[in-house]
Amino acid sequence: MQELQVVGPRGMAEPTGAGRFGDFGGRFVPESLIPACVELEAAFREAWDDPRFRAQLSRLLTVYAGRPTALTPAWRLSQELGITLLLKREDLAHTGSHKINNVLGQALLAHRMGKTRLIAETGAGQHGVAAATAAALLGMRCSVYMGTKDMERQQLNVFRMEMLGAEVIGVGSGSRTLKDACSEALRGWVASVDDTYYCVGSVMGPHPYPWMVREFQRVIGDEARAQCATELRTGTPDYVVACVGGGSNAAGTFAGFVDTPAQLIGVEAAGGAAIADGRIGILHGFRSMVLQDDDGQVAEAHSIAAGLDYPGIGPEHAYLHDLGRARYVTVTDAEVVPALKRLARTEGILCALESAHAIAWVVRAAGTDELPAGSTVMVTLSGRGDKDMPQLMGALA
């Protein structure tokens, strides 16, 4: 393991050059967006070095977003599986997911830069809800791009965004999912860059977004590491597990544990497994592992979870995989719903379909060589399942 390349003073290190994590990352955008990316990187560096900005964000995360979120022992499920399972409860954060951590950081940065409008892409709708929430809090206009397929299966979150004052722009091209929403958001940014800030929802996009979003999500891993030190006799779990689409909740979680002996496990949707089934390619301004057809065109991803329905993965995840520091596994749609129900009925927690992928892997692997009996496991529950109930009602009818 080339540990020195990935671990910095606070865990996962800053990318090199123009945003490179090894062979991945970078800045592949139209010439017209290069100045905006350069401006954003300079603004983020200045803000992140400013104690007043950090204090303002920390206070908002505490008094508004509800941090720190709990680390909950899953007592009954642990007993059934023969392991010790702890749940990092991002479902308890304001708006119902980890997305608020990143969005509050970016919205404060946009406000500091003098921008008056946020635009965002969303799949499951949770990032869109968080962006609409932050815009309302700071008195900014907000437009959210969302694939029409995702709008159909996430109607509750569409309504939530509209109630918060955001404009939801349906994207009917391509697969009508997150990939296409990202493409339209980038086009929208090109057309309105002077007064508009593009609030990216995951550790993807052109530099500095993958690095910046990871830093805003690092609070998950930092909190969880301190909480595990209190909860576990060994101080550190044997396994740290999180679902991965673009990968922001996993990146934030892994950042707290990358310099420990914990095994890092990212769980992809089988129909959108960029690490397992992808090849190196360029997507939405960054170089990473991407699902592609025989002609090198971006292939469509599929997942029961709208937030994992993405054909790429954040560049730092591709780098962690290359280094052998993190392992990426897949879970099928057929495994996800039973795992969601099992968590609900043993622990009284209804998690999001995205998070249920991580639970499904733990359920499948427990007691095997992948996850031996007696192991200590921490899973990040990236969001709550309210948004998925209408979809599940249809699927289980």
Side-chain angles (χ1 to χ4, degrees):
M1 184 191 306
Q2 303 173 54
E3 191 173 27
L4 291 179
Q5 293 185 36
V6 69
V7 178
R10 297 184 60 243
M12 280 153 36
E14 182 180 328
T16 61
R20 292 284 186 167
F21 300 97
D23 291 332
F24 307 103
R27 186 182 284 152
F28 299 88
V29 293
E31 190 70 25
S32 57
L33 278 182
I34 294 295
C37 290
V38 171
E39 177 195 25
L40 176 58
E41 180 183 358
F44 174 65
R45 288 183 181 279
E46 180 185 81
W48 210 228
D49 287 339
D50 184 348
R52 293 170 300 178
F53 178 86
R54 299 286 285 266
Q56 185 181 17
L57 176 58
S58 179
R59 177 162 173 76
L60 273 182
L61 289 171
T62 301
V63 304
Y64 188 70
R67 305 209 70 88
T69 57
L71 184 72
T72 301
W75 289 294
R76 291 184 61 209
L77 190 54
S78 292
Q79 186 174 24
E80 289 182 6
L81 297 178
I83 60 175
T84 298
L85 177 61
L86 303 173
L87 307 173
K88 180 57 175 166
R89 301 289 306 282
E90 293 305 290
D91 58 311
L92 297 179
H94 181 45
T95 72
S97 83
H98 68 292
K99 296 294 187 181
I100 194 68
N101 307 322
N102 166 50
V103 165
L104 284 177
Q106 289 200 63
L108 284 176
L109 181 60
H111 197 265
R112 179 184 175 109
M113 294 172 69
K115 306 296 184 181
T116 58
R117 175 175 174 251
L118 295 181
I119 61 172
E121 84 296 325
T122 197
Q126 289 299 102
H127 176 59
V129 168
T133 298
L137 177 68
L138 297 178
M140 305 175 76
R141 293 175 293 130
C142 182
S143 298
V144 180
Y145 293 87
M146 189 173 191
T148 52
K149 179 180 178 180
D150 290 338
M151 291 177 72
E152 292 164 7
R153 55 181 173 173
Q154 297 293 337
Q155 294 179 34
L156 174 61
N157 276 343
V158 173
F159 185 65
R160 290 173 74 192
M161 287 182 265
E162 292 173 342
M163 286 292 290
L164 288 159
E167 172 193 23
V168 182
I169 302 171
V171 179
S173 58
S175 60
R176 303 184 296 125
T177 58
L178 180 58
K179 171 178 72 72
D180 310 289
C182 291
S183 298
E184 289 302 315
L186 278 168
R187 293 187 187 102
W189 191 28
V190 170
S192 56
V193 69
D194 288 343
D195 69 344
T196 297
Y197 181 97
Y198 180 18
C199 185
V200 171
S202 195
V203 284
M204 59 191 195
H207 179 63
Y209 283 109
W211 166 51
M212 181 172 65
V213 174
R214 180 249 283 165
E215 287 300 282
F216 286 140
Q217 291 291 6
R218 181 187 287 274
V219 64
I220 303 172
D222 287 347
E223 282 182 9
R225 181 166 177 173
Q227 291 166 323
C228 285
T230 299
E231 187 71 27
L232 296 174
R233 180 181 56 81
T234 56
T236 302
D238 300 318
Y239 295 83
V240 172
V241 187
C243 67
V244 178
S248 65
N249 92 93
T253 301
F254 292 174
F257 294 92
V258 71
D259 61 343
T260 75
Q263 294 193 44
L264 309 179
I265 309 292
V267 185
E268 296 184 283
I275 292 290
D277 301 325
R279 305 196 304 270
I280 293 177
I282 294 172
L283 177 65
H284 297 137
F286 66 101
R287 188 173 192 259
S288 189
M289 300 299 290
V290 179
L291 295 179
Q292 300 172 59
D293 63 22
D294 292 340
D295 298 320
Q297 299 299 306
V298 176
E300 290 188 10
H302 166 77
S303 174
I304 191 173
L308 304 186
D309 206 347
Y310 187 68
I313 191 169
E316 192 165 20
H317 285 295
Y319 180 49
L320 289 170
H321 172 261
D322 262 16
L323 291 175
R325 182 60 190 95
R327 183 158 60 98
Y328 296 82
V329 298
T330 63
V331 162
T332 66
D333 285 356
E335 296 173 278
V336 171
V337 175
L340 188 153
K341 290 172 66 176
R342 189 167 183 181
L343 180 66
R345 295 178 183 185
T346 55
E347 304 301 332
I349 298 171
L350 277 169
C351 70
L353 283 169
E354 290 79 11
S355 308
H357 283 68
I359 298 296
W361 178 80
V362 171
V363 169
R364 185 182 74 202
T368 72
D369 290 342
E370 281 194 289
L371 184 56
S375 298
T376 55
V377 184
M378 195 211 77
V379 172
T380 295
L381 290 187
S382 58
R384 68 179 186 230
D386 308 41
K387 67 184 179 60
D388 299 315
M389 292 305 108
Q391 184 181 351
L392 288 170
M393 288 169 65
L396 298 174

